[in-house]
Amino acid sequence: MFNQALIQHLESFIPLKENEKALFEDKFVSRLVKRKEKILTAGEVCKQYTFIVKGCFRMYGVDDKGFEHNIQFAAENDWIADISSFYTQKTSQLNIEALEASELLQIKQQDLFFLFTNVPKLNRIFKVMIEHKYIELQNRVLQNFSSTAEQRYLGFLEQYPHLSNRLPNTQIASYLGITPEFLSKVRKNIQSKA
Amino acid sequence: MFNQALIQHLESFIPLKENEKALFEDKFVSRLVKRKEKILTAGEVCKQYTFIVKGCFRMYGVDDKGFEHNIQFAAENDWIADISSFYTQKTSQLNIEALEASELLQIKQQDLFFLFTNVPKLNRIFKVMIEHKYIELQNRVLQNFSSTAEQRYLGFLEQYPHLSNRLPNTQIASYLGITPEFLSKVRKNIQSKA
DNA sequence: ATCTACCCTTAACCTAGATTAAGAAATCAG
DNA sequence: CTGATTTCTTAATCTAGGTTAAGGGTAGAT
């Protein structure tokens, strides 16, 4: 029995025929990962495109001083991959790590390309998906520019209410580009206003 | 006679047939703009996808204190649009302004969608194009995280050598997220090292 | 060719956020 | 259930980069 979460997600874009669903069943591989387990490590090539059935991940880079910087989070019914490395097949500068014990479905590059050829409507779906990802990333750039740490934190709470009470503050701080200590100060300051 | 720059650019992805080229000729509109002229103003919907034949543009947002923040530059043989607004047809938060007197080719959303339908390979071209844009933006996010202003400036010089000696420092500062005064300090500091 | 608007730099002072340290609270794995 | 690890917070001190102001240089429009 194939996982309904993925099919439902894809059909939220365009309905699929039974034989198309069967092709997916064939190519996606189910996998369980533990908390803190990495599904991509910097220096490797990103060979899998991952759909998250259950759980939560972060994608992060490490700077020259050894500090980690979260670029994005992803949870249920979302996709995660280093798109740059996946499409260019060059080594990735990024890591993808489970923040909770998670369940996922993965497809290899060559199998995804097979599906692009044999299920043409998948091109449209993935074009729209990457457009969404692009827009999300652009909003992130915009938000980073235009705000103090407090404004960015409030923006984050608004944009990711389902994640904000699920992620440790230390991970949120890393996403916002500030230290956990300063986030603590910011939170205190917000509370004293309310 | 149709503009060769656009055709050459598109054919760098996939060769086109004569009748396909004719369709482009029909749908793209040539336009000249002066320095400082805006081709998109925040609050409007981005209705045109723009190919730059000659000249140079910046895309920027304005924060709540009235400060401008450059998100990207684009010059000859590159495309510029607020992809978010263009695809969603919601009002844009961004402005696109000519930094030099420029020559461009524009296509309206409905005409581009017409071409997507009638020249199917254009879907592939635009999928790859947006993948490139996504990768560029992700690199920008990564670079912003991982560096001091000096490192980011050096990274900018490396990544955009053709633009760095063409743009006023004040625009570069806005891209890097620092003040022109501080960029001046950074430049001085770099020189005294060399 | 020249006037005007923009651009670059310097310097003195100021603030948001980093760093370090350390204790209390929460969460995870066995 | 319990010890081990992670997480959250506070506070003192420090620094990268912002702000303001002002002079000189450069490039665009007419």
Side-chain angles (χ1 to χ4, degrees), chain B residues 13-132:
Chain B
F13 294 95
I14 304 176
L16 299 171
K17 290 172 193 152
E18 286 308 314
N19 64 324
E20 290 168 340
K21 293 181 195 176
L23 274 175
F24 283 95
E25 188 159 7
D26 204 38
K27 298 300 183 190
F28 276 89
V29 175
S30 178
R31 182 173 164 195
L32 294 175
V33 297
K34 292 179 194 158
R35 201 171 87 97
K36 303 229 160 187
E37 189 171 335
K38 282 192 207 169
I39 61 170
L40 174 69
T41 301
E44 296 173 2
V45 171
C46 180
K47 289 181 183 144
Q48 311 269 347
Y49 217 94
T50 298
F51 178 77
I52 305 171
V53 177
K54 186 166 185 327
C56 185
F57 288 79
R58 68 181 179 123
M59 186 161 86
Y60 67 96
V62 181
D63 69 24
D64 36 356
K65 288 175 194 153
F67 289 105
E68 298 179 356
H69 300 273
N70 289 339
I71 294 193
Q72 66 170 260
F73 299 112
E76 285 82 13
N77 296 313
D78 201 356
W79 299 81
I80 194 155
D82 176 0
I83 289 172
S84 172
S85 173
F86 186 83
Y87 283 118
T88 65
Q89 290 290 292
K90 290 180 189 160
T91 59
S92 175
Q93 300 175 239
L94 301 174
N95 304 272
I96 301 177
E97 184 191 87
L99 291 167
E100 305 171 356
S102 302
E103 180 188 345
L104 38 83
L105 289 166
Q106 294 189 301
I107 185 165
K108 281 188 286 188
Q109 203 226 27
Q110 69 201 62
D111 288 335
L112 184 59
F113 285 14
F114 172 87
L115 290 181
F116 280 149
T117 305
N118 291 282
V119 187
K121 68 179 68 157
L122 199 63
N123 287 289
R124 264 187 288 162
I125 294 175
F126 271 70
K127 177 168 168 281
V128 172
M129 266 169 42
I130 193 177
E131 280 162 12
H132 289 346

Side-chain angles (χ1 to χ4, degrees), chain B residues 169 173 178-191:
Chain B
N169 283 343
I178 60 177
T179 57
E181 292 85 352
F182 191 64
L183 177 54
S184 195
K185 222 188 247 182
V186 165
R187 284 159 56 84
K188 188 185 174 188
N189 195 37
I190 289 168
Q191 274 200 325

Side-chain angles (χ1 to χ4, degrees), chain A residues 99-116:
Chain A
L99 290 168
E100 306 170 356
S102 302
E103 180 188 344
L104 38 84
L105 290 165
Q106 292 190 304
I107 186 165
K108 281 189 285 191
Q109 204 227 26
Q110 69 200 63
D111 289 335
L112 183 59
F113 284 14
F114 172 87
L115 291 181
F116 280 149

Side-chain angles (χ1 to χ4, degrees), chain B residues 8 10 12 26 64-65 74 121 140-141 165 191:
Chain B
Q8 266 178 35
L10 292 171
S12 74
D26 204 38
D64 36 356
K65 288 175 194 153
K121 68 179 68 157
R140 178 144 165 63
V141 172
N165 43 26
Q191 274 200 325

Side-chain angles (χ1 to χ4, degrees), chain A residues 59-65 69-72 81-85 87-88 93-94 113 116 123-124 126-127 130-131 133-135 137-142 144-148 151 174-177, chain B residues 59-65 69-72 81-85 87-88 93-94 113 116 123-124 126-127 130-131 133-135 137-142 144-148 151 174-177:
Chain A
M59 186 161 88
Y60 67 95
V62 180
D63 70 23
D64 37 355
K65 288 174 195 154
H69 300 273
N70 289 339
I71 294 195
Q72 67 168 259
D82 177 0
I83 289 172
S84 172
S85 172
Y87 283 117
T88 65
Q93 300 175 241
L94 300 175
F113 284 14
F116 280 149
N123 287 289
R124 265 187 289 163
F126 271 70
K127 177 168 169 281
I130 193 176
E131 280 162 11
K133 290 267 181 197
Y134 183 91
I135 290 167
L137 198 59
Q138 181 174 280
N139 284 337
R140 180 148 164 59
V141 172
L142 271 172
N144 264 327
F145 270 142
S146 62
S147 313
T148 67
Q151 287 175 303
S174 166
Y175 179 88
L176 296 174
Chain B
M59 186 161 86
Y60 67 96
V62 181
D63 69 24
D64 36 356
K65 288 175 194 153
H69 300 273
N70 289 339
I71 294 193
Q72 66 170 260
D82 176 0
I83 289 172
S84 172
S85 173
Y87 283 118
T88 65
Q93 300 175 239
L94 301 174
F113 285 14
F116 280 149
N123 287 289
R124 264 187 288 162
F126 271 70
K127 177 168 168 281
I130 193 177
E131 280 162 12
K133 288 270 180 195
Y134 183 91
I135 290 167
L137 199 58
Q138 181 175 281
N139 285 337
R140 178 144 165 63
V141 172
L142 273 170
N144 263 327
F145 270 142
S146 61
S147 315
T148 67
Q151 286 175 304
S174 166
Y175 179 89
L176 296 174

